[in-house]
Amino acid sequence: MFIKLVNMKEIAANLKVIREKIVAATAKRPSEYNYFEPQLVAVSKFKPTELVIEAYEAGQRHFGENYVNELIEKGTSQTLVEKCNEIKWHFIGHLQRNKVNKVLAVPNLYLIETVDSEKIAAALDNAWPKFRKSNDTKLKVMVQVNTSKEEEKSGCEINEVSKLVRYVTENCKNLDFLGLMTIGMYGYDTAKGPNPDFIALKKCKDDVCTELNLDTKKVELSMGMSTDYEHAIEVGSNIVRVGTAIFGERPQKA
Ligand SMILES: *Cc1c(COP(=O)(O)O)cnc(C)c1O
């Protein structure tokens, strides 16, 4: 199943290297970003539960999954629930309304990063009271933006972001709007200059904050993956989602 086997020691070593690079990139940011530390999300898609546990035991707490079934399989695994009681799951894949209840039932679900329509926001808002542990906890969500305007990518279109954020903040009393997320185009060569997806997401945030009168410090950005997380941090990313650099190559999806 694996192109490259990654063992326990390697995962701990990879995490150590990445954390050091994050610290170095953080130090290179313009001082306007000094009010926050970037957060590393370990993306474990296509990787077995054992490797999630290894990374957890190496100190990693935030994990991301793209596929509902994989999130459920790992997130509800008895061993994982016992060994990783502080795990925080980010759902980072495309979410369909008929899967909302399944995702919300996962223990230690922390954040849905991929809200891209009013329909899915409404479905999450309506369903959350059935799942939350206490009455006043809101479900954290981010709005996914299709900054690269590629047809096959999901996400809300740039010119609709403000409308969707307004909907979430004004109409969805059970949701806590955390910020904006993008996947962006793969394999951008940073030698060509700043990544246009990162610039576009930052601009979206500035526009949304102006239009809706939100505090820019309270709107986070989730951007940057294995090949470009350092660069993303340098231009203001709050959350980087790293898979391959921690867990090794993934098999190509058929
Ligand atoms: C797979 C995936 C990642 C991680 O990608 P890597 O290149 O392996 O670091 C991050 N975000 C999303 C949404 C993904 O699907």
Side-chain angles (χ1 to χ4, degrees):
M1 177 179 173
F2 301 112
I3 292 172
K4 183 171 169 254
L5 278 172
V6 174
N7 61 35
M8 171 180 170
K9 263 203 192 137
E10 253 183 278
I11 287 184
N14 290 346
L15 279 168
K16 184 165 179 284
V17 169
I18 292 165
R19 286 185 197 126
E20 285 165 3
K21 288 184 175 175
I22 288 177
V23 170
T26 304
K28 282 202 222 161
R29 298 181 303 183
S31 57
E32 63 176 294
Y33 299 125
N34 284 351
Y35 66 94
F36 70 90
E37 298 292 326
Q39 179 178 82
L40 172 64
V41 175
V43 178
S44 44
K45 62 169 181 257
F46 299 160
K47 300 293 174 180
T49 307
E50 294 76 51
L51 296 191
V52 174
I53 298 173
E54 304 294 4
Y56 183 93
E57 288 178 347
Q60 182 62 29
R61 289 294 174 269
H62 289 260
F63 289 82
E65 284 288 343
N66 287 62
Y67 300 98
V68 175
N69 290 344
E70 264 198 89
L71 174 63
I72 292 166
E73 192 189 314
K74 293 172 210 176
T76 60
S77 136
Q78 194 62 35
T79 331
L80 184 135
V81 169
E82 277 166 20
K83 290 192 170 176
C84 312
N85 62 341
E86 286 172 21
I87 198 166
K88 293 178 171 65
W89 287 111
H90 295 225
F91 186 72
I92 59 172
H94 184 63
L95 185 55
Q96 289 162 316
R97 269 188 294 167
N98 60 359
K99 300 279 176 64
V100 159
N101 284 347
K102 287 184 164 180
V103 169
L104 296 187
V106 171
N108 298 315
L109 177 73
Y110 177 75
L111 165 64
I112 307 276
E113 295 203 15
T114 47
V115 170
D116 63 357
S117 69
E118 291 186 7
K119 279 183 186 166
I120 199 76
L124 290 166
D125 186 50
N126 288 332
W128 184 236
K130 288 182 280 179
F131 297 95
R132 65 185 164 197
K133 301 262 159 43
S134 74
N135 273 339
D136 53 357
T137 357
K138 293 186 178 195
L139 174 68
K140 291 181 175 51
V141 298
M142 292 184 116
V143 164
Q144 182 180 0
V145 186
N146 186 359
T147 53
S148 54
K149 301 174 185 162
E150 291 164 279
E151 254 174 49
E152 72 277 12
K153 293 253 161 75
S154 39
C156 161
E157 286 179 29
I158 289 176
N159 56 12
E160 314 227 300
V161 177
S162 281
K163 187 166 170 274
L164 180 53
V165 172
R166 186 190 293 278
Y167 181 82
V168 171
T169 52
E170 291 180 4
N171 295 55
C172 303
K173 60 181 190 310
N174 299 316
L175 303 184
D176 178 13
F177 170 70
L178 218 69
L180 306 176
M181 175 270 206
T182 187
I183 296 179
M185 212 177 286
Y186 294 117
Y188 178 77
D189 176 7
T190 49
K192 290 188 198 146
N195 187 320
D197 287 298
F198 300 164
I199 303 296
L201 198 67
K202 172 74 164 64
K203 176 157 191 313
C204 259
K205 165 178 156 164
D206 292 341
D207 292 348
V208 166
C209 288
T210 309
E211 277 176 51
L212 306 186
N213 202 14
L214 303 176
D215 179 354
T216 53
K217 289 191 178 173
K218 293 200 173 132
V219 178
E220 302 192 2
L221 298 177
S222 172
M223 58 187 193
M225 315 203 286
S226 287
T227 55
D228 54 14
Y229 65 91
E230 293 162 272
H231 183 238
I233 287 170
E234 286 171 37
V235 297
S237 180
N238 300 72
I239 299 178
V240 291
R241 310 176 310 265
V242 178
T244 312
I246 298 172
F247 296 108
E249 298 283 333
R250 290 180 294 270
Q252 290 298 312
K253 218 185 152 212

